[in-house]
Amino acid sequence: MMYSFYELFWLFFVYSFLGWIIETVYGSIKKKKFVNRGFFTGPVCFVYGTAAVLMTVFLWELKSSVVALFVGCAVMATIIEWVTGKLLERMNRHKWWDYSNKKWNFDGYICVQYSLIWGALGVLAIKYGNHFLVYGFHLLPSVLEQIVLWVLLIIALIDMSASLAAMLHIKKGMPEIVFKWNAQLDRWT
């Protein structure tokens, strides 16, 4: 089943939010205090949304074979995780996560344990989650669907701009409103 642009956009944001919840709960339990594990200020981990949408677009034909779908999802998510880890390290000069202490890790960014988890999450998303989430999306009136997505996009772009500016130490030339909105988003999160 192919999804429309708006449906994929919706899946991207929902899975980004769900990924943030997973990361934040895990990190908070581990550190015994609240930890915002996302790169951005808001409650999103875009790597989850990206992986979910890419799996949805490229692996949906494997839906009838759980084993093939699992392997495809595990491989795709592992590649995305490794590339994301490398990019973030290059941009920030430090690792955002490190699996060096995990058995069968590669470069500290990926390991078999998490690849298996990503494979299982991908199967759940493609076989069940996508249908449920798109159905929920279409419960909104058509005009409201688009408004919600555009508002989410604007918030994400503001968050992304401020987060990248902070990371790259760019304050000059950035509108002050971007930092104010980002600070407000941080308080809401």
Side-chain angles (χ1 to χ4, degrees), residues 127-138:
K127 285 193 76 63
Y128 308 106
N130 289 352
H131 176 73
F132 174 74
L133 294 172
V134 168
Y135 175 78
F137 176 64
H138 287 303

Side-chain angles (χ1 to χ4, degrees), residues 1-3 7 56-57 60-61 63 130-131 134:
M1 171 184 198
M2 290 304 298
Y3 294 99
E7 291 167 340
T56 298
V57 169
W60 67 274
E61 291 177 328
K63 195 174 176 180
N130 289 352
H131 176 73
V134 168

Side-chain angles (χ1 to χ4, degrees), residues 67-158:
V67 173
L69 182 59
F70 174 82
V71 170
C73 289
V75 167
M76 184 175 279
T78 299
I79 291 168
I80 291 168
E81 184 176 31
W82 185 81
V83 168
T84 301
K86 282 299 219 185
L87 285 173
L88 286 173
E89 183 181 10
R90 299 270 166 120
M91 289 170 26
N92 293 297
R93 295 177 181 38
H94 79 276
K95 285 189 173 187
W96 277 77
W97 62 88
D98 192 356
Y99 300 148
S100 296
N101 62 342
K102 304 277 185 200
K103 198 172 187 178
W104 298 314
N105 79 81
F106 175 72
D107 209 16
Y109 290 112
I110 57 175
C111 67
V112 172
Q113 173 187 351
Y114 286 109
S115 294
L116 296 175
I117 292 170
W118 305 145
L121 289 174
V123 169
L124 289 174
I126 291 175
K127 285 193 76 63
Y128 308 106
N130 289 352
H131 176 73
F132 174 74
L133 294 172
V134 168
Y135 175 78
F137 176 64
H138 287 303
L139 291 176
L140 297 171
S142 177
V143 138
L144 193 55
E145 289 175 356
Q146 293 181 18
I147 291 171
V148 166
L149 288 175
W150 284 106
V151 167
L152 288 172
L153 176 64
I154 290 166
I155 291 169
L157 289 174
I158 291 169

Side-chain angles (χ1 to χ4, degrees), residues 166-180:
M167 181 196 66
L168 299 171
H169 307 291
I170 301 170
K171 284 237 181 203
K172 201 183 243 184
M174 246 342 205
E176 186 62 32
I177 189 82
V178 170
F179 294 106
K180 286 180 181 177

